[in-house]
Amino acid sequence: MIKYRSIIKQVLSISKPKIFDLLEEGYSRHNFKADFMAGLTVAIVSIPLSMGFAISAGLTPMQGVYSAVVGGVISAILGGCRHQISGPSAAFIIIIAETLHLYGNNGLLLIVMVTGIILILIGLFHLGDYIRFIPFPARYGITTGVAIVVCIAQIKNLLGLDFVSGGFSTNVAGKIMQIIAHLPETNIISLVMGISTIAGLVILKKIRPSWPNIILIIIIGGLVKFFFHLPLDTIGTKFGEISATLPIPSLPVLDWSLIWQTLPISFSFAVIVYSQTLISAIMVDESTGDRHDSKLEMISQGLANIIVASIGGMVLTGTASRSSANVNSGSHSPISGLLQAIFLLLFVLLAASLIEHIPLVSLSGVLVFVAWNMLTKQNLHKLLTAPRFDGVIFVMTILVMVFWGITNALIAGSLLGSFVFVGRMKSLTSSKHKMEGLKNFTAFKYDKKNDEYLSITPTTKSSILVCHLQGVLFFAAAKKVDEVFSYINKTQKAVIIDFAKVSVVDISIANLLYRVMFGFRKKGIKVIISGASSQVKTEIAHQDIKPAVNIYTKDVKEALDYLKQKLN
């Protein structure tokens, strides 16, 4: 009975959503202005993306937009990531199209509803933390693979081809062969419009990065089509008149035999939402130094998908591109996500008639541009200069993602990461790996009389903390390493990270360290790395970690001597 009580207690231990942080921090007019501009910027990005993803998946554009509204509201109010933006994702384009073909619209909505229930269970049982067992090369390989799949899916529209493919197969090679067979039917006007859209976005991003380039290019494309009477399909010619009314919530028709039959698909949807959302949250953490709550993220995504199923929308997930845009636009809090949902809703209610004039090829060009921007130069550089086996994981994950889907890519990336770790362990002696509370820390207090640092009992308020890491630090240890650093706060003047007993650091831990140390520097805490071996220095050098570190020292004593000069 005690065991069951502890499980129930764990399940019910839900922390506060990130929006409650504002009650402790306070919220000023300046904060609201920052959130307002970030919300407006993300809404401008979300409008064409939400419509484009929905259309590419075989749904109506409004299904994508309404889903983005729901995702924005729920993530902002109940989410566990301060800057996460939820909405339709490119990763679902092919799998939704295939599901619609096999089970119809009601079957798809049932799958989305069951997906939401699975996500809530994942959150309640704290399974979100297992995302850290997926190594960084695999996570970025999946993101890269999604970008490639999006680009391939838009080739048909960019070329203006009008043929019926043989079903909704996820066989990418087959799709490419079909496109090649129909190349003589290319619509030159469509191709020129598509290339012009992509070129215009690239140029505007370079010369006017602060402008809302996507919405400007969409407007220009619509005006060109209208005034020159170009023979191009628009949202209106494809889907008819766009209604400015909101959908009335109504649960899909319950069919228990169909629910049971499609349960594996629901799990696949849940795995994709799980990975996309938490990978996006980790990327946001790396940019801001914040820490997301994976439990709340899963619960909020689950609730959002259940609501989406009741309004006939599109499955939702945390989105890396829009979340990054939110951060880069100066978002201060979850209020920016709530505002972007409000802006989306106002756009639907006030400008529905304008949506009909958007050329479909312009949306395809936007999706290609967004896919390309998912491939960040910083992460690509890390992997190209990383040890050979990390590069192999990256490339293999991309290939599996493109040809066999995201679920298989997650499995393959994790397995390859495990094999690489086992290979590295062959040349190493075994070592312990303790990560419990403050047991990994020593603390020091400056003695003015003797001009030296004296060892004291470590507390969370100690001004100088030394974190002692030891053993083999690889991707599976990421969560525990992250927990160790959670004890560092603004009361510390400096933190010394002692690597003297660390034999190996892989790229996932090095990437985590970059995020952690970046967060420390942002809080005004000095960061010192001491006792690092040549292997450790080489690995963390690949992450361009130097800007986040004040100095490297050979041992803790040298680090304390440095602090004696800088702090006293």
Short mmCIF file of all heavy atoms in Angstrom, two decimals, residues 329-358:
data_model
loop_
_atom_site.label_atom_id
_atom_site.label_comp_id
_atom_site.label_asym_id
_atom_site.label_seq_id
_atom_site.Cartn_x
_atom_site.Cartn_y
_atom_site.Cartn_z
N SER A 329 12.60 37.70 -30.51
CA SER A 329 11.83 38.94 -30.61
C SER A 329 11.71 39.66 -29.28
O SER A 329 11.03 40.67 -29.17
CB SER A 329 10.42 38.65 -31.15
OG SER A 329 10.48 38.05 -32.42
N GLY A 330 12.37 39.11 -28.25
CA GLY A 330 12.42 39.79 -26.96
C GLY A 330 11.36 39.37 -25.96
O GLY A 330 11.06 40.11 -25.02
N SER A 331 10.78 38.18 -26.13
CA SER A 331 9.75 37.70 -25.20
C SER A 331 10.25 37.72 -23.75
O SER A 331 11.37 37.30 -23.46
CB SER A 331 9.33 36.27 -25.57
OG SER A 331 8.60 35.66 -24.54
N HIS A 332 9.40 38.21 -22.85
CA HIS A 332 9.77 38.25 -21.43
C HIS A 332 9.11 37.13 -20.65
O HIS A 332 9.67 36.63 -19.68
CB HIS A 332 9.35 39.59 -20.83
CG HIS A 332 9.50 39.66 -19.34
ND1 HIS A 332 10.74 39.80 -18.73
CD2 HIS A 332 8.59 39.58 -18.33
CE1 HIS A 332 10.57 39.80 -17.41
NE2 HIS A 332 9.28 39.67 -17.15
N SER A 333 7.90 36.71 -21.07
CA SER A 333 7.13 35.76 -20.27
C SER A 333 6.13 35.01 -21.16
O SER A 333 6.02 35.30 -22.36
CB SER A 333 6.37 36.51 -19.17
OG SER A 333 5.30 37.25 -19.74
N PRO A 334 5.38 34.05 -20.59
CA PRO A 334 4.35 33.35 -21.38
C PRO A 334 3.25 34.25 -21.92
O PRO A 334 2.48 33.83 -22.78
CB PRO A 334 3.78 32.34 -20.37
CG PRO A 334 4.86 32.12 -19.38
CD PRO A 334 5.54 33.45 -19.25
N ILE A 335 3.18 35.49 -21.43
CA ILE A 335 2.17 36.43 -21.93
C ILE A 335 2.35 36.64 -23.44
O ILE A 335 1.36 36.84 -24.16
CB ILE A 335 2.27 37.78 -21.20
CG1 ILE A 335 1.99 37.60 -19.69
CG2 ILE A 335 1.30 38.80 -21.79
CD1 ILE A 335 0.59 37.11 -19.38
N SER A 336 3.57 36.56 -23.95
CA SER A 336 3.79 36.74 -25.39
C SER A 336 3.10 35.64 -26.18
O SER A 336 2.53 35.90 -27.25
CB SER A 336 5.30 36.76 -25.70
OG SER A 336 5.90 35.52 -25.37
N GLY A 337 3.11 34.41 -25.66
CA GLY A 337 2.42 33.31 -26.32
C GLY A 337 0.91 33.51 -26.32
O GLY A 337 0.23 33.20 -27.30
N LEU A 338 0.40 34.03 -25.20
CA LEU A 338 -1.04 34.30 -25.10
C LEU A 338 -1.44 35.40 -26.07
O LEU A 338 -2.47 35.31 -26.76
CB LEU A 338 -1.37 34.70 -23.67
CG LEU A 338 -2.84 34.90 -23.32
CD1 LEU A 338 -3.64 33.62 -23.55
CD2 LEU A 338 -2.99 35.37 -21.88
N LEU A 339 -0.61 36.43 -26.19
CA LEU A 339 -0.90 37.54 -27.09
C LEU A 339 -0.86 37.10 -28.55
O LEU A 339 -1.70 37.52 -29.35
CB LEU A 339 0.09 38.69 -26.86
CG LEU A 339 -0.10 39.47 -25.55
CD1 LEU A 339 1.05 40.44 -25.34
CD2 LEU A 339 -1.42 40.23 -25.57
N GLN A 340 0.08 36.21 -28.90
CA GLN A 340 0.14 35.77 -30.30
C GLN A 340 -1.11 34.98 -30.66
O GLN A 340 -1.60 35.07 -31.78
CB GLN A 340 1.41 34.96 -30.56
CG GLN A 340 1.47 33.56 -30.01
CD GLN A 340 1.00 32.50 -30.98
OE1 GLN A 340 1.10 32.66 -32.19
NE2 GLN A 340 0.53 31.39 -30.44
N ALA A 341 -1.69 34.24 -29.70
CA ALA A 341 -2.94 33.52 -29.96
C ALA A 341 -4.09 34.51 -30.16
O ALA A 341 -4.94 34.30 -31.04
CB ALA A 341 -3.24 32.58 -28.79
N ILE A 342 -4.11 35.58 -29.38
CA ILE A 342 -5.16 36.60 -29.53
C ILE A 342 -5.04 37.29 -30.88
O ILE A 342 -6.05 37.51 -31.57
CB ILE A 342 -5.07 37.63 -28.38
CG1 ILE A 342 -5.40 36.95 -27.05
CG2 ILE A 342 -6.00 38.81 -28.64
CD1 ILE A 342 -5.17 37.83 -25.84
N PHE A 343 -3.81 37.61 -31.29
CA PHE A 343 -3.60 38.24 -32.60
C PHE A 343 -4.04 37.31 -33.74
O PHE A 343 -4.64 37.76 -34.72
CB PHE A 343 -2.12 38.60 -32.78
CG PHE A 343 -1.67 39.74 -31.90
CD1 PHE A 343 -0.45 39.68 -31.23
CD2 PHE A 343 -2.46 40.86 -31.73
CE1 PHE A 343 -0.04 40.71 -30.42
CE2 PHE A 343 -2.04 41.91 -30.91
CZ PHE A 343 -0.83 41.83 -30.25
N LEU A 344 -3.76 36.02 -33.60
CA LEU A 344 -4.20 35.05 -34.60
C LEU A 344 -5.72 35.03 -34.71
O LEU A 344 -6.28 35.00 -35.81
CB LEU A 344 -3.69 33.65 -34.24
CG LEU A 344 -2.25 33.30 -34.58
CD1 LEU A 344 -1.88 31.94 -34.00
CD2 LEU A 344 -2.04 33.28 -36.09
N LEU A 345 -6.38 35.03 -33.56
CA LEU A 345 -7.84 35.00 -33.54
C LEU A 345 -8.43 36.25 -34.18
O LEU A 345 -9.39 36.19 -34.96
CB LEU A 345 -8.32 34.85 -32.10
CG LEU A 345 -9.81 34.56 -31.89
CD1 LEU A 345 -10.20 33.26 -32.58
CD2 LEU A 345 -10.11 34.48 -30.40
N LEU A 346 -7.86 37.40 -33.88
CA LEU A 346 -8.33 38.66 -34.46
C LEU A 346 -8.14 38.66 -35.98
O LEU A 346 -8.99 39.16 -36.73
CB LEU A 346 -7.58 39.85 -33.84
CG LEU A 346 -7.92 40.17 -32.38
CD1 LEU A 346 -7.02 41.28 -31.86
CD2 LEU A 346 -9.39 40.56 -32.24
N PHE A 347 -7.04 38.08 -36.41
CA PHE A 347 -6.78 38.01 -37.85
C PHE A 347 -7.85 37.18 -38.54
O PHE A 347 -8.35 37.55 -39.61
CB PHE A 347 -5.40 37.38 -38.07
CG PHE A 347 -5.09 37.14 -39.52
CD1 PHE A 347 -4.67 38.17 -40.34
CD2 PHE A 347 -5.22 35.87 -40.08
CE1 PHE A 347 -4.39 37.96 -41.68
CE2 PHE A 347 -4.94 35.64 -41.42
CZ PHE A 347 -4.52 36.69 -42.23
N VAL A 348 -8.22 36.06 -37.94
CA VAL A 348 -9.24 35.19 -38.52
C VAL A 348 -10.59 35.92 -38.59
O VAL A 348 -11.30 35.85 -39.59
CB VAL A 348 -9.39 33.89 -37.69
CG1 VAL A 348 -10.59 33.09 -38.15
CG2 VAL A 348 -8.13 33.05 -37.82
N LEU A 349 -10.94 36.63 -37.52
CA LEU A 349 -12.25 37.28 -37.45
C LEU A 349 -12.35 38.52 -38.34
O LEU A 349 -13.42 38.83 -38.87
CB LEU A 349 -12.56 37.66 -36.00
CG LEU A 349 -12.68 36.48 -35.01
CD1 LEU A 349 -12.90 37.01 -33.60
CD2 LEU A 349 -13.82 35.55 -35.41
N LEU A 350 -11.22 39.22 -38.51
CA LEU A 350 -11.27 40.51 -39.22
C LEU A 350 -10.77 40.45 -40.66
O LEU A 350 -11.07 41.35 -41.45
CB LEU A 350 -10.46 41.56 -38.43
CG LEU A 350 -10.90 41.81 -36.98
CD1 LEU A 350 -9.98 42.82 -36.33
CD2 LEU A 350 -12.35 42.27 -36.93
N ALA A 351 -9.98 39.44 -40.97
CA ALA A 351 -9.36 39.42 -42.31
C ALA A 351 -9.55 38.09 -43.03
O ALA A 351 -8.73 37.71 -43.87
CB ALA A 351 -7.86 39.73 -42.18
N ALA A 352 -10.64 37.40 -42.75
CA ALA A 352 -10.87 36.09 -43.37
C ALA A 352 -10.95 36.19 -44.89
O ALA A 352 -10.44 35.32 -45.61
CB ALA A 352 -12.14 35.47 -42.81
N SER A 353 -11.59 37.25 -45.39
CA SER A 353 -11.76 37.38 -46.84
C SER A 353 -10.42 37.57 -47.57
O SER A 353 -10.28 37.20 -48.74
CB SER A 353 -12.69 38.54 -47.16
OG SER A 353 -12.17 39.76 -46.64
N LEU A 354 -9.45 38.16 -46.88
CA LEU A 354 -8.13 38.38 -47.50
C LEU A 354 -7.35 37.07 -47.66
O LEU A 354 -6.52 36.95 -48.56
CB LEU A 354 -7.32 39.37 -46.67
CG LEU A 354 -7.91 40.77 -46.51
CD1 LEU A 354 -7.02 41.63 -45.61
CD2 LEU A 354 -8.08 41.44 -47.87
N ILE A 355 -7.62 36.13 -46.78
CA ILE A 355 -6.90 34.85 -46.82
C ILE A 355 -7.12 34.14 -48.14
O ILE A 355 -6.23 33.47 -48.66
CB ILE A 355 -7.35 33.95 -45.64
CG1 ILE A 355 -6.98 34.61 -44.31
CG2 ILE A 355 -6.71 32.57 -45.74
CD1 ILE A 355 -7.51 33.86 -43.11
N GLU A 356 -8.32 34.31 -48.70
CA GLU A 356 -8.68 33.60 -49.93
C GLU A 356 -7.76 33.94 -51.09
O GLU A 356 -7.62 33.16 -52.04
CB GLU A 356 -10.13 33.92 -50.30
CG GLU A 356 -11.14 33.51 -49.25
CD GLU A 356 -12.54 34.00 -49.57
OE1 GLU A 356 -12.76 34.39 -50.75
OE2 GLU A 356 -13.40 34.00 -48.68
N HIS A 357 -7.11 35.11 -51.06
CA HIS A 357 -6.30 35.57 -52.20
C HIS A 357 -4.83 35.16 -52.09
O HIS A 357 -4.03 35.53 -52.95
CB HIS A 357 -6.41 37.09 -52.33
CG HIS A 357 -7.81 37.58 -52.55
ND1 HIS A 357 -8.47 37.41 -53.75
CD2 HIS A 357 -8.69 38.19 -51.71
CE1 HIS A 357 -9.70 37.91 -53.64
NE2 HIS A 357 -9.85 38.40 -52.42
N ILE A 358 -4.46 34.42 -51.06
CA ILE A 358 -3.07 34.01 -50.89
C ILE A 358 -2.74 32.88 -51.87
O ILE A 358 -3.40 31.84 -51.84
CB ILE A 358 -2.79 33.54 -49.45
CG1 ILE A 358 -3.02 34.69 -48.47
CG2 ILE A 358 -1.37 33.01 -49.32
CD1 ILE A 358 -2.88 34.28 -47.01
#
